[in-house]
Amino acid sequence: MTVSNSLLEKEEIDAVTVVDVHAPAQTYYTTGNNSGSNINRLRTLSGRHELTKNSIKDEIPPQRKRRASHDDKNKARRFLLDVKETQRILVEQEDTDGDFQITVNDLGPKSLLVGSADSGGYRKIEIRGTYMLSNLLQELALAEDYGRKHIVLDEARLSENPVDRLSRMIRHNFWDGLTRRVDAEGLERICLDPKNRSVNHSPRIYIPHDEHEVFNYYQNVANTKQHLGLKVERLPQKITPEYVQSINDKPGILALALKKVKDVNTGEDTFRGVPFVVPGGRFNEMYGWDSYFEALGLLIDNRVDLAQGMVENFTYEIKHYGKILNANRSYYLSRSQPPFLTDMARQVYLGLPGCNNDNKAWLRTVLQAAMKEYHTVWMSEPRLDPKTQLSRFRPDGKGIPPETEASHFDHVIQPYATRAGLSLSELMEQYNNRTHIEPELDEYFLHDRAVRESGHDTTYRYEGRCANLATIDLNALLYKYETDIADMITDYLDNDLIDYDGVKQEASTWRNRAQMRRDRIDKYLWNEEHGMYFDYDTVKEQQTTYESVTTFWAMWAKCASQEQAEKMVRHALPKFEVMGGLVSGTAESRGIISLDRPNRQWDFPFGWAPHQILAWHGFKNYGMIDIQQRLVYRWLFIITKSFVDFNGVVPEKYDVVSLTHKVQVEYGNVGVDFKYVPREGFGWMNASYQIGLSIITKQMRRALGTCTSPEIFFERTAAIKKQQQQVVETAKAITQNGQTTTAITIIVPPESSVNMNSGLKRKAPSLSPDTSQQNLASFAIEKDDDDHNMDADLTTPEDDSDYYI
């Protein structure tokens, strides 16, 4: 008997190792159908027929079937693609604006015919729509990363629910794309600094004064890897603002924590850098407050080791540089950023595996560093205001901040240059070397450095006064430091914690500090009339009037009373809640925008991940779950919609009023410039997405997967709740408000079916004389979680195979 050619082919294809269609790229493009030998077999389907015919002697060859017969209509569709050629055709046809992305702004036909895998590429199948075509472009780039010239691509990978796809890319791609180490292997990548505008671009690393073994290690790296041209510098024992300014023309990376390991080649002891995550784009170093939010996202994705490493790097910075730095570059040595270390350590500690005693020892080490920073940085002058005893962003520093764009301060400095009869460059040089004194410029740059330390660079909220302000942001964070340390002493450390000087720490002492700070916050920052917190100008001795969304940080830190939280919901929340989430400030506070007074990125209409995340947890702290989930949905919608419409983009920030990432503002938007496929997203934006998905209900997640706008979603859910309430009212009437003691029958109107568009009905409970009104109401008004349990066997985003946007 002759063996059917198509049967031989089918057996060989089916024998291929089955790989999850949504597996990470490193698995999907190196195993299964996309391992080298298997893809070659699929490509030679046509040649196989002749080989089979000639190898069976004296047998009549089977009648050749038409090529489309290889496609099983009941199977999920797969495509057989030439990677480079498909990419070329796709870009030529669809990328009409030449940015190497396929977006809703491109004017191509949004349709491409490709060959099916089961027909060996003979039968053509249409791929259409911006979302699927941009996913195809991304998948081709990922396949090329792994050396694939031809691939078998599952259609389900292109039509994947966008919520699942983005979350998967963050978990498996973006975090790794943002991970760095400061060691022999990582230096070449980490030393690159797009912000370096000095004439000296040689890679340079600065080592703490007393780290002799570390200095020798990096000197050896410089000697053995001479192509790097690495310069190794030792910092002085005391780092002064004057010293920091003196090395501005020789900027470099600052060493972070190292761990001793065995060299796999020599077996000798060597060092390996403790890894960390960078924000992305031009921010290629470990930043202060970014790292806290990134760590929260890493913990959601079970990357505990990476989050723990970031805490250890902060501990190293405090020990050797005196503070958690703005970032680990030499020009940031005088500046810090908003402090989150205690909560960051607590979150990591709760996720640590292994020996409890070892984990406690680790936590003690981190808290010792946090207490040092608390006392020497935030509770010492110049940051501590001696009168109010509240803290301010007020870093030391000299001269013009060197990390900005070359022309960033031209409009500020030009009038002084004109008045002095000097060119712009001459005045800048003389001002930096102190041969030309300008007290007004000193004041300007004092506040400019404070703005950068605040993390909110820049905003009209801080214009010309930041260093004088006791902000709700900073003082809420320090209140959290105080309560965190007190709680961890009693809850985790068995009342056993000493500081660097060996002084035993008492929880009651830290709670007293927290209470005193809370009293001062209420006295100076709370505004009863407006129902929210404002900054306090310690020089003018009055509250400012700028309305900032950071008022909700008090709820995150739990330093607001329940009454204050409820007032903020009534008075403040309506000011900041917009279509895409929470906006940074109000339009009234920002003021009129013009050519001479342009937008600032931390003002209206922009929204940022840290503001959203802290507010989410703040509302949860006060039992306001409905508000929390509503805000989360708004924020995740704008991220998901941009991801779908703009080739997978995940940027630094959004215009949350106009629902766009295309912003006209200083610094532009980081994370939007990439070729074919996004590889990093943006650090805290990635985190906000993963955190948000852990908060919303399954119903909300399904709506996000279809890009249902917040207003439509909320309108529909409100209508359903209203119908459910009508059912309750009907039931109350029938049972005389629960007083009837005889069995009754509930008649549920068809439009009030509790299954919400599923076509399924749930049997009402039989009522007995013991059935109360409360039990009846609990059936009629089901909370989201119960509804989702009902729908457990329905299609969910995790199960969906086809999502067409």
Side-chain angles (χ1 to χ4, degrees), residues 20 45 94 121 151 154 210 217 315 329 335 344 378 420 496 583 643 647 669 683 690 698 725 784 786:
D20 178 10
L45 285 176
E94 300 292 344
I151 59 170
D154 289 89
D210 55 353
Y217 165 75
T315 302
R329 295 282 180 190
R335 293 209 301 267
M344 187 177 179
W378 302 113
D496 180 15
V583 69
F643 177 80
N647 208 105
N669 209 352
Q690 303 299 69
K698 289 182 180 179
Q725 184 62 36
D784 286 334
D786 294 328

Side-chain angles (χ1 to χ4, degrees), residues 510-554:
W510 286 96
R511 290 198 174 97
N512 287 338
R513 288 175 177 142
Q515 184 58 53
M516 288 189 291
R517 186 178 300 276
R518 182 172 178 172
D519 292 342
R520 294 173 188 132
I521 288 174
D522 285 345
K523 178 180 179 180
Y524 292 105
L525 308 183
W526 174 253
N527 189 302
E528 183 69 20
E529 179 184 354
H530 291 89
M532 60 184 292
Y533 295 94
F534 290 86
D535 302 327
Y536 182 80
D537 191 317
T538 59
V539 174
K540 294 182 178 179
E541 298 188 339
Q542 64 185 26
Q543 280 187 358
T544 67
T545 59
Y546 188 103
E547 297 167 322
S548 171
V549 75
T550 57
T551 187
F552 298 123
W553 290 25

